[in-house]
Amino acid sequence: MTEDEVYRTSTQYRLWSFTLETLASLRATTNTAAADGVRDAFRSLNLDTKEGDGNQVNGAAAEKEVDCLTIEEEQKIISYYCLYTLEFVDFCEYPTNVKATAVQYLKRFYLTNSPMTYHPKEIMPTAVYLAMKSEDNFHYVKSFAEKLPNITTEDILAPEFLLTQGLRFTFDVRHPFHGLEGGFMELLAFTNGKGQGGPWIKKSQKELRDEMMDIDLAPGSSAKTTTIKELVARIQGAHGRAKEILKTFALLTDAYFLYTPSQIWLSTLYLVDEPLARFYIDTKIPAMADMKPKLFTVLQSCAEVLRSSPAAQPDKEEKKELKRIDRKLAQCRNPQKMDLVSMNKAQKRDPDQNGGSSLDEKVAKKRKLEREKSIKESEDLFGPALADKKP
């Protein structure tokens, strides 16, 4: 199997890859469903208040039409908490793969769930904790909770099953980091005269190295590369800038939903040093291949997505807008879904409540029959229990 065929068998490709249109449609559906759920919950709260002697202020508020978040406002608040996740994981000094996976868990969860239903500040710690386990960087939940202010172990564990449901029980995230490292190792091999091109390339390794020396200037450079040392420095500089993009912009945009890991890392190389990217691709794909112009179109498209990333540090106006959205969110959260810890406890007490499900009747019946059969067989072997014997 080729690498492309292997990737197409992954859950990331089968369940979490979209076109721009399907991604927008999914988010619109999620927003509409959440808004309807919020309004229904407030109407229910209003009826309960009228029937009892509850807080009349809440009842009056419930009578008003709830001003729900728009799709754009939802995306802004989700992007902010993705950014906060990056900062928190860096603060904890967890590995890059934990950070990247946690952000993708958040983004995947909020494709089918809305901040109006589950606030990102309650899901974010759980996403990080689940990412730590998925990426084989496990820490005890108690020690993890101590890193977060005003957070208990229950706050982290309560939404865990909810999050796994939102992830459709798929925890594998294919990142572009390994591809980036492999690609730059190949580029460095060309500088040593050991690089290998495709079978159609008839040039020697030395000729390929000389051709690499002769490529166009790197962005921001004023002088052409003249020595092997300068060429190595150029490649290493491009590697550092590309890796930084993968650790920030690639995570904060929809790149993972729209492109494959190899397309993402090649797009970062294309962004930081286009001549170097073109040289690398020329050694992989024949000049006259039909797929070559298509590939560059995809890379340019992905590069535009990466450029559209939210700022790593919101400016004054963006912070003001985020505060406005957060205040609005406080007024349109689903009142039935606000206390995740209590919901989790209730679910454990009675699986039929809060949207839970009891054991399948067929399974329960089968277990009962097996238990009765076991009892009958034991009586046949040893006789009935003494208490069952008549005097």
Side-chain angles (χ1 to χ4, degrees), residues 131-159:
M132 288 163 53
K133 293 194 286 185
S134 299
E135 296 295 340
D136 197 22
N137 193 66
F138 179 73
H139 289 67
Y140 288 107
V141 65
K142 185 177 180 181
S143 62
F144 175 67
E146 290 172 352
K147 298 178 182 293
L148 287 158
N150 304 318
I151 293 290
T152 65
T153 56
E154 283 188 329
D155 294 327
I156 295 168
L157 297 176

PDB file of all heavy atoms in Angstrom, residues 131-159:
ATOM      1  N   ALA A 131      -5.823  14.250  25.572  1.00  0.00           N
ATOM      2  CA  ALA A 131      -4.701  14.271  24.621  1.00  0.00           C
ATOM      3  C   ALA A 131      -3.436  13.711  25.260  1.00  0.00           C
ATOM      4  O   ALA A 131      -2.649  13.016  24.604  1.00  0.00           O
ATOM      5  CB  ALA A 131      -4.463  15.695  24.135  1.00  0.00           C
ATOM      6  N   MET A 132      -3.223  13.999  26.540  1.00  0.00           N
ATOM      7  CA  MET A 132      -2.058  13.455  27.238  1.00  0.00           C
ATOM      8  C   MET A 132      -2.094  11.932  27.251  1.00  0.00           C
ATOM      9  O   MET A 132      -1.081  11.265  27.024  1.00  0.00           O
ATOM     10  CB  MET A 132      -2.019  13.999  28.672  1.00  0.00           C
ATOM     11  CG  MET A 132      -1.645  15.466  28.772  1.00  0.00           C
ATOM     12  SD  MET A 132      -2.088  16.196  30.367  1.00  0.00           S
ATOM     13  CE  MET A 132      -1.321  15.081  31.507  1.00  0.00           C
ATOM     14  N   LYS A 133      -3.268  11.375  27.476  1.00  0.00           N
ATOM     15  CA  LYS A 133      -3.388   9.914  27.496  1.00  0.00           C
ATOM     16  C   LYS A 133      -3.234   9.344  26.091  1.00  0.00           C
ATOM     17  O   LYS A 133      -2.585   8.313  25.901  1.00  0.00           O
ATOM     18  CB  LYS A 133      -4.738   9.520  28.107  1.00  0.00           C
ATOM     19  CG  LYS A 133      -4.864   9.863  29.584  1.00  0.00           C
ATOM     20  CD  LYS A 133      -6.032   9.174  30.237  1.00  0.00           C
ATOM     21  CE  LYS A 133      -7.348   9.795  29.845  1.00  0.00           C
ATOM     22  NZ  LYS A 133      -8.484   9.192  30.590  1.00  0.00           N
ATOM     23  N   SER A 134      -3.823  10.010  25.109  1.00  0.00           N
ATOM     24  CA  SER A 134      -3.752   9.519  23.729  1.00  0.00           C
ATOM     25  C   SER A 134      -2.327   9.558  23.187  1.00  0.00           C
ATOM     26  O   SER A 134      -1.934   8.703  22.387  1.00  0.00           O
ATOM     27  CB  SER A 134      -4.659  10.356  22.825  1.00  0.00           C
ATOM     28  OG  SER A 134      -6.004  10.279  23.232  1.00  0.00           O
ATOM     29  N   GLU A 135      -1.567  10.557  23.619  1.00  0.00           N
ATOM     30  CA  GLU A 135      -0.200  10.729  23.111  1.00  0.00           C
ATOM     31  C   GLU A 135       0.847  10.115  24.040  1.00  0.00           C
ATOM     32  O   GLU A 135       2.026  10.457  23.979  1.00  0.00           O
ATOM     33  CB  GLU A 135       0.095  12.218  22.913  1.00  0.00           C
ATOM     34  CG  GLU A 135      -0.765  12.898  21.852  1.00  0.00           C
ATOM     35  CD  GLU A 135      -0.505  12.357  20.461  1.00  0.00           C
ATOM     36  OE1 GLU A 135       0.560  11.748  20.242  1.00  0.00           O
ATOM     37  OE2 GLU A 135      -1.365  12.536  19.576  1.00  0.00           O
ATOM     38  N   ASP A 136       0.398   9.200  24.903  1.00  0.00           N
ATOM     39  CA  ASP A 136       1.318   8.456  25.772  1.00  0.00           C
ATOM     40  C   ASP A 136       2.166   9.392  26.631  1.00  0.00           C
ATOM     41  O   ASP A 136       3.373   9.210  26.777  1.00  0.00           O
ATOM     42  CB  ASP A 136       2.226   7.550  24.922  1.00  0.00           C
ATOM     43  CG  ASP A 136       2.892   6.462  25.756  1.00  0.00           C
ATOM     44  OD1 ASP A 136       2.365   6.140  26.833  1.00  0.00           O
ATOM     45  OD2 ASP A 136       3.949   5.958  25.348  1.00  0.00           O
ATOM     46  N   ASN A 137       1.488  10.392  27.209  1.00  0.00           N
ATOM     47  CA  ASN A 137       2.170  11.333  28.112  1.00  0.00           C
ATOM     48  C   ASN A 137       1.321  11.486  29.375  1.00  0.00           C
ATOM     49  O   ASN A 137       0.999  12.586  29.801  1.00  0.00           O
ATOM     50  CB  ASN A 137       2.357  12.683  27.414  1.00  0.00           C
ATOM     51  CG  ASN A 137       3.312  13.585  28.163  1.00  0.00           C
ATOM     52  OD1 ASN A 137       4.502  13.308  28.278  1.00  0.00           O
ATOM     53  ND2 ASN A 137       2.797  14.683  28.701  1.00  0.00           N
ATOM     54  N   PHE A 138       0.969  10.331  29.941  1.00  0.00           N
ATOM     55  CA  PHE A 138      -0.026  10.312  31.009  1.00  0.00           C
ATOM     56  C   PHE A 138       0.486  10.948  32.302  1.00  0.00           C
ATOM     57  O   PHE A 138       1.630  10.743  32.697  1.00  0.00           O
ATOM     58  CB  PHE A 138      -0.457   8.870  31.287  1.00  0.00           C
ATOM     59  CG  PHE A 138      -1.473   8.753  32.386  1.00  0.00           C
ATOM     60  CD1 PHE A 138      -2.777   9.147  32.183  1.00  0.00           C
ATOM     61  CD2 PHE A 138      -1.109   8.272  33.631  1.00  0.00           C
ATOM     62  CE1 PHE A 138      -3.717   9.051  33.195  1.00  0.00           C
ATOM     63  CE2 PHE A 138      -2.035   8.166  34.656  1.00  0.00           C
ATOM     64  CZ  PHE A 138      -3.347   8.563  34.429  1.00  0.00           C
ATOM     65  N   HIS A 139      -0.400  11.727  32.935  1.00  0.00           N
ATOM     66  CA  HIS A 139      -0.178  12.264  34.277  1.00  0.00           C
ATOM     67  C   HIS A 139      -1.418  11.945  35.112  1.00  0.00           C
ATOM     68  O   HIS A 139      -2.528  11.886  34.578  1.00  0.00           O
ATOM     69  CB  HIS A 139       0.026  13.779  34.249  1.00  0.00           C
ATOM     70  CG  HIS A 139       1.322  14.210  33.654  1.00  0.00           C
ATOM     71  ND1 HIS A 139       1.631  14.042  32.322  1.00  0.00           N
ATOM     72  CD2 HIS A 139       2.412  14.815  34.206  1.00  0.00           C
ATOM     73  CE1 HIS A 139       2.831  14.524  32.071  1.00  0.00           C
ATOM     74  NE2 HIS A 139       3.328  14.986  33.191  1.00  0.00           N
ATOM     75  N   TYR A 140      -1.231  11.773  36.399  1.00  0.00           N
ATOM     76  CA  TYR A 140      -2.384  11.560  37.268  1.00  0.00           C
ATOM     77  C   TYR A 140      -3.272  12.793  37.246  1.00  0.00           C
ATOM     78  O   TYR A 140      -2.795  13.929  37.217  1.00  0.00           O
ATOM     79  CB  TYR A 140      -1.937  11.257  38.693  1.00  0.00           C
ATOM     80  CG  TYR A 140      -1.341   9.880  38.845  1.00  0.00           C
ATOM     81  CD1 TYR A 140       0.025   9.701  39.022  1.00  0.00           C
ATOM     82  CD2 TYR A 140      -2.151   8.746  38.797  1.00  0.00           C
ATOM     83  CE1 TYR A 140       0.581   8.431  39.134  1.00  0.00           C
ATOM     84  CE2 TYR A 140      -1.616   7.470  38.919  1.00  0.00           C
ATOM     85  CZ  TYR A 140      -0.247   7.322  39.089  1.00  0.00           C
ATOM     86  OH  TYR A 140       0.287   6.061  39.193  1.00  0.00           O
ATOM     87  N   VAL A 141      -4.586  12.549  37.263  1.00  0.00           N
ATOM     88  CA  VAL A 141      -5.529  13.657  37.122  1.00  0.00           C
ATOM     89  C   VAL A 141      -5.395  14.661  38.265  1.00  0.00           C
ATOM     90  O   VAL A 141      -5.591  15.865  38.071  1.00  0.00           O
ATOM     91  CB  VAL A 141      -6.979  13.108  37.017  1.00  0.00           C
ATOM     92  CG1 VAL A 141      -7.412  12.411  38.302  1.00  0.00           C
ATOM     93  CG2 VAL A 141      -7.932  14.223  36.652  1.00  0.00           C
ATOM     94  N   LYS A 142      -5.036  14.190  39.445  1.00  0.00           N
ATOM     95  CA  LYS A 142      -4.901  15.103  40.580  1.00  0.00           C
ATOM     96  C   LYS A 142      -3.760  16.088  40.355  1.00  0.00           C
ATOM     97  O   LYS A 142      -3.904  17.299  40.590  1.00  0.00           O
ATOM     98  CB  LYS A 142      -4.661  14.305  41.862  1.00  0.00           C
ATOM     99  CG  LYS A 142      -4.625  15.185  43.118  1.00  0.00           C
ATOM    100  CD  LYS A 142      -4.461  14.338  44.379  1.00  0.00           C
ATOM    101  CE  LYS A 142      -4.425  15.223  45.623  1.00  0.00           C
ATOM    102  NZ  LYS A 142      -4.246  14.410  46.860  1.00  0.00           N
ATOM    103  N   SER A 143      -2.615  15.582  39.881  1.00  0.00           N
ATOM    104  CA  SER A 143      -1.479  16.473  39.635  1.00  0.00           C
ATOM    105  C   SER A 143      -1.773  17.406  38.460  1.00  0.00           C
ATOM    106  O   SER A 143      -1.327  18.559  38.444  1.00  0.00           O
ATOM    107  CB  SER A 143      -0.216  15.655  39.343  1.00  0.00           C
ATOM    108  OG  SER A 143      -0.380  14.876  38.168  1.00  0.00           O
ATOM    109  N   PHE A 144      -2.544  16.924  37.492  1.00  0.00           N
ATOM    110  CA  PHE A 144      -2.926  17.780  36.370  1.00  0.00           C
ATOM    111  C   PHE A 144      -3.866  18.891  36.821  1.00  0.00           C
ATOM    112  O   PHE A 144      -3.728  20.050  36.419  1.00  0.00           O
ATOM    113  CB  PHE A 144      -3.586  16.931  35.284  1.00  0.00           C
ATOM    114  CG  PHE A 144      -4.123  17.728  34.129  1.00  0.00           C
ATOM    115  CD1 PHE A 144      -3.271  18.410  33.269  1.00  0.00           C
ATOM    116  CD2 PHE A 144      -5.492  17.803  33.904  1.00  0.00           C
ATOM    117  CE1 PHE A 144      -3.768  19.149  32.202  1.00  0.00           C
ATOM    118  CE2 PHE A 144      -5.999  18.534  32.843  1.00  0.00           C
ATOM    119  CZ  PHE A 144      -5.135  19.209  31.997  1.00  0.00           C
ATOM    120  N   ALA A 145      -4.830  18.562  37.677  1.00  0.00           N
ATOM    121  CA  ALA A 145      -5.802  19.551  38.154  1.00  0.00           C
ATOM    122  C   ALA A 145      -5.124  20.658  38.958  1.00  0.00           C
ATOM    123  O   ALA A 145      -5.591  21.807  38.958  1.00  0.00           O
ATOM    124  CB  ALA A 145      -6.872  18.868  39.000  1.00  0.00           C
ATOM    125  N   GLU A 146      -4.036  20.324  39.625  1.00  0.00           N
ATOM    126  CA  GLU A 146      -3.336  21.326  40.431  1.00  0.00           C
ATOM    127  C   GLU A 146      -2.722  22.441  39.583  1.00  0.00           C
ATOM    128  O   GLU A 146      -2.412  23.518  40.095  1.00  0.00           O
ATOM    129  CB  GLU A 146      -2.246  20.644  41.264  1.00  0.00           C
ATOM    130  CG  GLU A 146      -2.811  19.771  42.381  1.00  0.00           C
ATOM    131  CD  GLU A 146      -1.736  18.940  43.068  1.00  0.00           C
ATOM    132  OE1 GLU A 146      -0.576  18.945  42.570  1.00  0.00           O
ATOM    133  OE2 GLU A 146      -2.048  18.284  44.084  1.00  0.00           O
ATOM    134  N   LYS A 147      -2.550  22.193  38.302  1.00  0.00           N
ATOM    135  CA  LYS A 147      -1.977  23.212  37.410  1.00  0.00           C
ATOM    136  C   LYS A 147      -3.011  24.242  36.967  1.00  0.00           C
ATOM    137  O   LYS A 147      -2.663  25.277  36.399  1.00  0.00           O
ATOM    138  CB  LYS A 147      -1.363  22.541  36.171  1.00  0.00           C
ATOM    139  CG  LYS A 147      -0.218  21.599  36.484  1.00  0.00           C
ATOM    140  CD  LYS A 147       0.316  20.941  35.227  1.00  0.00           C
ATOM    141  CE  LYS A 147       1.438  19.952  35.541  1.00  0.00           C
ATOM    142  NZ  LYS A 147       2.642  20.618  36.057  1.00  0.00           N
ATOM    143  N   LEU A 148      -4.291  23.940  37.207  1.00  0.00           N
ATOM    144  CA  LEU A 148      -5.365  24.833  36.791  1.00  0.00           C
ATOM    145  C   LEU A 148      -6.031  25.465  38.004  1.00  0.00           C
ATOM    146  O   LEU A 148      -6.394  24.750  38.944  1.00  0.00           O
ATOM    147  CB  LEU A 148      -6.411  24.061  35.980  1.00  0.00           C
ATOM    148  CG  LEU A 148      -6.005  23.660  34.567  1.00  0.00           C
ATOM    149  CD1 LEU A 148      -6.851  22.500  34.087  1.00  0.00           C
ATOM    150  CD2 LEU A 148      -6.134  24.836  33.626  1.00  0.00           C
ATOM    151  N   PRO A 149      -6.220  26.772  38.017  1.00  0.00           N
ATOM    152  CA  PRO A 149      -6.858  27.422  39.161  1.00  0.00           C
ATOM    153  C   PRO A 149      -8.355  27.115  39.219  1.00  0.00           C
ATOM    154  O   PRO A 149      -9.038  27.078  38.191  1.00  0.00           O
ATOM    155  CB  PRO A 149      -6.621  28.922  38.892  1.00  0.00           C
ATOM    156  CG  PRO A 149      -6.454  29.019  37.406  1.00  0.00           C
ATOM    157  CD  PRO A 149      -5.799  27.745  36.987  1.00  0.00           C
ATOM    158  N   ASN A 150      -8.849  26.861  40.420  1.00  0.00           N
ATOM    159  CA  ASN A 150     -10.279  26.644  40.655  1.00  0.00           C
ATOM    160  C   ASN A 150     -10.855  25.475  39.849  1.00  0.00           C
ATOM    161  O   ASN A 150     -12.014  25.506  39.432  1.00  0.00           O
ATOM    162  CB  ASN A 150     -11.077  27.922  40.328  1.00  0.00           C
ATOM    163  CG  ASN A 150     -10.578  29.120  41.102  1.00  0.00           C
ATOM    164  OD1 ASN A 150     -10.284  29.031  42.293  1.00  0.00           O
ATOM    165  ND2 ASN A 150     -10.462  30.261  40.428  1.00  0.00           N
ATOM    166  N   ILE A 151     -10.027  24.457  39.631  1.00  0.00           N
ATOM    167  CA  ILE A 151     -10.464  23.273  38.891  1.00  0.00           C
ATOM    168  C   ILE A 151     -10.233  22.040  39.760  1.00  0.00           C
ATOM    169  O   ILE A 151      -9.153  21.870  40.335  1.00  0.00           O
ATOM    170  CB  ILE A 151      -9.690  23.116  37.560  1.00  0.00           C
ATOM    171  CG1 ILE A 151     -10.042  24.243  36.595  1.00  0.00           C
ATOM    172  CG2 ILE A 151      -9.987  21.778  36.916  1.00  0.00           C
ATOM    173  CD1 ILE A 151     -11.431  24.187  36.033  1.00  0.00           C
ATOM    174  N   THR A 152     -11.258  21.202  39.869  1.00  0.00           N
ATOM    175  CA  THR A 152     -11.133  19.965  40.634  1.00  0.00           C
ATOM    176  C   THR A 152     -10.996  18.772  39.673  1.00  0.00           C
ATOM    177  O   THR A 152     -11.209  18.902  38.459  1.00  0.00           O
ATOM    178  CB  THR A 152     -12.374  19.747  41.516  1.00  0.00           C
ATOM    179  OG1 THR A 152     -13.523  19.540  40.660  1.00  0.00           O
ATOM    180  CG2 THR A 152     -12.624  20.968  42.410  1.00  0.00           C
ATOM    181  N   THR A 153     -10.657  17.639  40.240  1.00  0.00           N
ATOM    182  CA  THR A 153     -10.554  16.432  39.406  1.00  0.00           C
ATOM    183  C   THR A 153     -11.911  16.076  38.797  1.00  0.00           C
ATOM    184  O   THR A 153     -11.983  15.590  37.671  1.00  0.00           O
ATOM    185  CB  THR A 153     -10.038  15.246  40.232  1.00  0.00           C
ATOM    186  OG1 THR A 153     -10.901  15.040  41.363  1.00  0.00           O
ATOM    187  CG2 THR A 153      -8.624  15.508  40.727  1.00  0.00           C
ATOM    188  N   GLU A 154     -12.980  16.345  39.541  1.00  0.00           N
ATOM    189  CA  GLU A 154     -14.321  16.075  39.011  1.00  0.00           C
ATOM    190  C   GLU A 154     -14.623  16.941  37.792  1.00  0.00           C
ATOM    191  O   GLU A 154     -15.264  16.502  36.844  1.00  0.00           O
ATOM    192  CB  GLU A 154     -15.382  16.319  40.091  1.00  0.00           C
ATOM    193  CG  GLU A 154     -15.489  15.204  41.118  1.00  0.00           C
ATOM    194  CD  GLU A 154     -16.669  15.407  42.043  1.00  0.00           C
ATOM    195  OE1 GLU A 154     -17.019  16.579  42.295  1.00  0.00           O
ATOM    196  OE2 GLU A 154     -17.247  14.413  42.502  1.00  0.00           O
ATOM    197  N   ASP A 155     -14.162  18.199  37.826  1.00  0.00           N
ATOM    198  CA  ASP A 155     -14.386  19.102  36.689  1.00  0.00           C
ATOM    199  C   ASP A 155     -13.719  18.571  35.426  1.00  0.00           C
ATOM    200  O   ASP A 155     -14.200  18.801  34.310  1.00  0.00           O
ATOM    201  CB  ASP A 155     -13.834  20.501  37.001  1.00  0.00           C
ATOM    202  CG  ASP A 155     -14.594  21.193  38.113  1.00  0.00           C
ATOM    203  OD1 ASP A 155     -15.812  20.970  38.222  1.00  0.00           O
ATOM    204  OD2 ASP A 155     -13.974  21.948  38.884  1.00  0.00           O
ATOM    205  N   ILE A 156     -12.601  17.881  35.585  1.00  0.00           N
ATOM    206  CA  ILE A 156     -11.866  17.346  34.439  1.00  0.00           C
ATOM    207  C   ILE A 156     -12.482  16.040  33.948  1.00  0.00           C
ATOM    208  O   ILE A 156     -12.621  15.816  32.743  1.00  0.00           O
ATOM    209  CB  ILE A 156     -10.383  17.130  34.807  1.00  0.00           C
ATOM    210  CG1 ILE A 156      -9.722  18.488  35.114  1.00  0.00           C
ATOM    211  CG2 ILE A 156      -9.634  16.413  33.692  1.00  0.00           C
ATOM    212  CD1 ILE A 156      -8.362  18.377  35.745  1.00  0.00           C
ATOM    213  N   LEU A 157     -12.877  15.177  34.880  1.00  0.00           N
ATOM    214  CA  LEU A 157     -13.368  13.859  34.502  1.00  0.00           C
ATOM    215  C   LEU A 157     -14.829  13.860  34.063  1.00  0.00           C
ATOM    216  O   LEU A 157     -15.232  13.014  33.256  1.00  0.00           O
ATOM    217  CB  LEU A 157     -13.188  12.886  35.666  1.00  0.00           C
ATOM    218  CG  LEU A 157     -11.739  12.612  36.097  1.00  0.00           C
ATOM    219  CD1 LEU A 157     -11.708  11.708  37.321  1.00  0.00           C
ATOM    220  CD2 LEU A 157     -10.944  11.997  34.957  1.00  0.00           C
ATOM    221  N   ALA A 158     -15.624  14.786  34.576  1.00  0.00           N
ATOM    222  CA  ALA A 158     -17.062  14.791  34.273  1.00  0.00           C
ATOM    223  C   ALA A 158     -17.360  14.871  32.775  1.00  0.00           C
ATOM    224  O   ALA A 158     -18.220  14.134  32.275  1.00  0.00           O
ATOM    225  CB  ALA A 158     -17.750  15.928  35.027  1.00  0.00           C
ATOM    226  N   PRO A 159     -16.688  15.746  32.007  1.00  0.00           N
ATOM    227  CA  PRO A 159     -17.014  15.829  30.575  1.00  0.00           C
ATOM    228  C   PRO A 159     -16.267  14.819  29.699  1.00  0.00           C
ATOM    229  O   PRO A 159     -16.390  14.882  28.474  1.00  0.00           O
ATOM    230  CB  PRO A 159     -16.581  17.266  30.197  1.00  0.00           C
ATOM    231  CG  PRO A 159     -16.075  17.909  31.434  1.00  0.00           C
ATOM    232  CD  PRO A 159     -15.748  16.815  32.393  1.00  0.00           C
TER     233      PRO A 159
END
